[in-house]
């Protein structure tokens, strides 16, 4: 849990700034914001989306800790799976915020999915790559004492 909390503390704000820059880049390319925040006074960014980014970090950590790391999944497979799971998570988070909590976070104008657009897959690829680079290649946040036990490791220690 220490590793997860560390990741949330520094990666959630990093992802929030990446989201902000991605929406600015979208605006430069299309003369309109890619996604809006109806409840935010700024409409093109919201501090409330930090909650979704903390959830995103938790989701990526969970995938890494329980699925990718123990199975030694290759990097590009991690990127594809992480991208699809996070993209679906964005839609699910937007749906829950709007329909369960009556507090719509993000809305993509013109998207048939309302809370996410197919173009967001590109942004999610970059987010998952950054997560992998920062947590696995730059600062290994899966030290051996936090890693899931290897199969047969208990037998090897007893012998």
């Amino acid at each position: 849990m220490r590793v997860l909390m560390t990741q949330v503390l520094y990666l959630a704000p990093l992802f929030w700034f990446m989201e902000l820059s991605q929406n600015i880049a979208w605006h430069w390319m299309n003369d309109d914001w890619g996604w809006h925040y109806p409840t935010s006074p700024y409409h093109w960014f919201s501090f409330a989306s930090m909650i979704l980014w903390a959830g995103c970090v938790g989701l990526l950590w969970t995938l890494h800790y329980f699925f990718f790391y123990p199975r030694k999944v290759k990097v590009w497979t991690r990127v594809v799976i992480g991208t699809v799971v996070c993209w679906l998570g964005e839609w699910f988070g937007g749906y829950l915020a709007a329909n369960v909590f009556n507090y719509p976070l993000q809305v993509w104008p013109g998207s048939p999915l309302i809370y996410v657009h197919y173009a967001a897959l590109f942004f999610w690829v970059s987010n998952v790559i950054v997560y992998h680079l920062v947590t696995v290649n730059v600062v290994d946040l899966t030290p051996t004492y936090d890693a899931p036990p290897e199969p047969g490791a208990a037998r090897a220690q007893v012998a």
Side-chain angles (χ1 to χ4, degrees):
M1 286 314 254
R2 175 193 59 77
V3 172
L4 175 59
M5 291 302 112
T6 303
Q7 286 186 12
V8 167
L9 285 175
Y10 80 89
L11 283 175
L14 172 67
F15 282 153
W16 185 86
F17 280 112
M18 285 177 61
E19 173 190 37
L20 185 64
S21 65
Q22 291 164 347
N23 207 7
I24 290 170
W26 185 281
H27 186 263
W28 285 345
M29 298 297 290
N30 300 302
D31 289 330
D32 191 16
W33 300 109
W35 49 98
H36 300 266
Y37 298 91
T39 56
S40 169
Y42 312 103
H43 299 295
W44 60 280
F45 78 94
S46 171
F47 293 110
S49 69
M50 191 71 78
I51 294 166
L52 289 177
W53 287 115
C56 170
V57 172
L59 184 61
L60 288 171
W61 176 84
T62 301
L63 282 170
H64 174 76
Y65 185 82
F66 291 108
F67 184 72
F68 298 148
Y69 186 79
R71 290 171 180 79
K72 297 179 180 19
V73 176
K74 294 183 181 186
V75 173
W76 291 110
T77 307
R78 291 176 183 216
V79 170
V80 169
I81 293 171
T83 297
V84 170
V85 168
C86 288
W87 184 78
L88 292 170
E90 181 180 358
W91 180 87
F92 185 70
Y95 179 85
L96 277 179
N99 296 303
V100 174
F101 299 110
N102 288 329
Y103 189 83
L105 285 176
Q106 79 279 3
V107 173
W108 285 74
S111 172
L113 300 172
I114 303 168
Y115 310 110
V116 71
H117 194 279
Y118 297 110
L121 285 166
F122 171 76
F123 297 130
W124 279 112
V125 167
S126 67
N127 294 342
V128 172
I129 289 172
V130 166
Y131 178 85
H132 180 78
L133 290 174
V134 171
T135 62
V136 178
N137 292 348
V138 177
V139 180
D140 186 6
L141 291 179
T142 311
T144 54
Y145 56 83
D146 270 355
E150 294 286 330
R155 282 182 256 131
Q157 289 177 353
V158 174

